[in-house]
Each structure stands twice: as C-alpha cells, then as structure tokens.
Amino acid sequence: MRRITAALALAGLGLVPQLALAQADKPVIDAVESYFDFVDANGGTILAEQIPAEDYKKFHVLDVRDAGQFAKEHIPGAVNIEWRKVFAERAQLPKGKTILVYCNTSSFAAQVAMALRLDGFENVRMLYGGFNQWKAAGGMEAHARASKKQ
C-alpha cells in the first residue's frame, strides 16, 4: 500500500509543473479575456426577424449541423461544415464577410462562434435560437412578418 501511495504522490508532483504551465499560457489567457470583452452578452447574436430576406446574400451562412440534417433542409445559400470540423477547416471561411453560424438550437453554433472569435474572426454572428427558431419565426420571411406586426 505504501508503494502505491508513494507512486501516486510522485506522479502528482510530476503533474504540478504541467498544470502551472497550462494556467500560465498568456496567449490563451489574452484570447479568452478578449473574447469575454466582446461587446455585450448578445453582441454576437442576431435574430431571424432582424435579417431581411435579401440580406442573407451579404452573409457567409454556415450550417454546423450534420450532413444529413443539412441535406434534409437548410437556410438557402448555406454552406455545411459539421461543428466538430469547423475549427480544423476554418481556412475555408472568409475573413472579409460576416459569417452567420447556426445549428438546430444555437448550442453548437455558440461553441463554433467562440472558437472562431478566439482565433481572430471578428466577423462571426450566431443566429439566435438556431434553425428551429428561424423556421418558427418564418424563415426567409421572418423579417417581413415581424415588420408587418409593428
């Protein structure tokens, strides 16, 4: 039993410098701090009701759902890269055009948006509520519907 305890203690000591290094990685700390300084809590989100149908052409619409869901239905003009692959394939994304990212509910899109912003993409917006909310609001006609209600 003493040998196991001693081995665990030595192993633990070996991890301490690695943990300290991970905590002291200044570029990561700076990137995370700048991400959380990003405007306000909703600064990176946009509602379907805020986007006139003709404005979708101004975005690089990025669907981060799986290929099967994308094939079944998606926002017209969208490009599909599954959320797990977006960061690895980020070189395909435009730096000079606003990226509108969505999934079904915004959970995966939020992760993608954060990762891209941490990598220096300042042009990322997340579709609030995702594809499900977009459809419920009227899809491409959500803005027109919302404007009529006013």
Side-chain angles (χ1 to χ4, degrees), residues 26-120:
K26 184 151 176 48
V28 171
I29 291 169
D30 291 346
V32 171
E33 284 177 353
S34 70
Y35 171 77
F36 286 113
D37 286 341
F38 182 75
V39 214
D40 59 68
N42 293 319
T45 61
I46 190 167
L47 298 167
E49 293 87 348
Q50 294 175 292
I51 309 171
E54 61 275 6
D55 283 2
Y56 281 90
K57 295 174 193 152
K58 297 177 183 176
F59 293 108
H60 179 84
V61 182
L62 179 61
D63 183 322
V64 298
R65 300 173 304 152
D66 67 54
Q69 291 175 318
F70 180 80
K72 187 175 177 183
E73 58 182 343
H74 57 270
I75 294 175
V79 173
N80 179 235
I81 304 174
E82 190 202 354
W83 71 276
R84 288 182 182 101
K85 298 175 183 175
V86 171
F87 197 73
E89 297 179 20
R90 67 193 180 280
Q92 297 177 32
L93 302 174
K95 290 265 186 173
K97 191 172 186 180
T98 300
I99 299 168
L100 178 64
V101 61
Y102 73 92
C103 60
N104 284 320
T105 62
S106 296
S107 59
F108 292 136
Q111 293 177 47
V112 167
M114 180 177 180
L116 291 174
R117 285 191 193 120
L118 287 172
D119 192 48

Side-chain angles (χ1 to χ4, degrees), residues 106-150:
S106 296
S107 59
F108 292 136
Q111 293 177 47
V112 167
M114 180 177 180
L116 291 174
R117 285 191 193 120
L118 287 172
D119 192 48
F121 284 82
E122 295 179 9
N123 58 336
V124 180
R125 299 293 174 263
M126 184 183 65
L127 184 61
Y128 183 81
F131 188 72
N132 295 339
Q133 181 64 33
W134 179 82
K135 280 179 50 178
M140 297 297 279
E141 298 305 315
H143 180 267
R145 282 186 183 181
S147 297
K148 283 181 184 177
K149 290 180 184 177
Q150 295 177 359

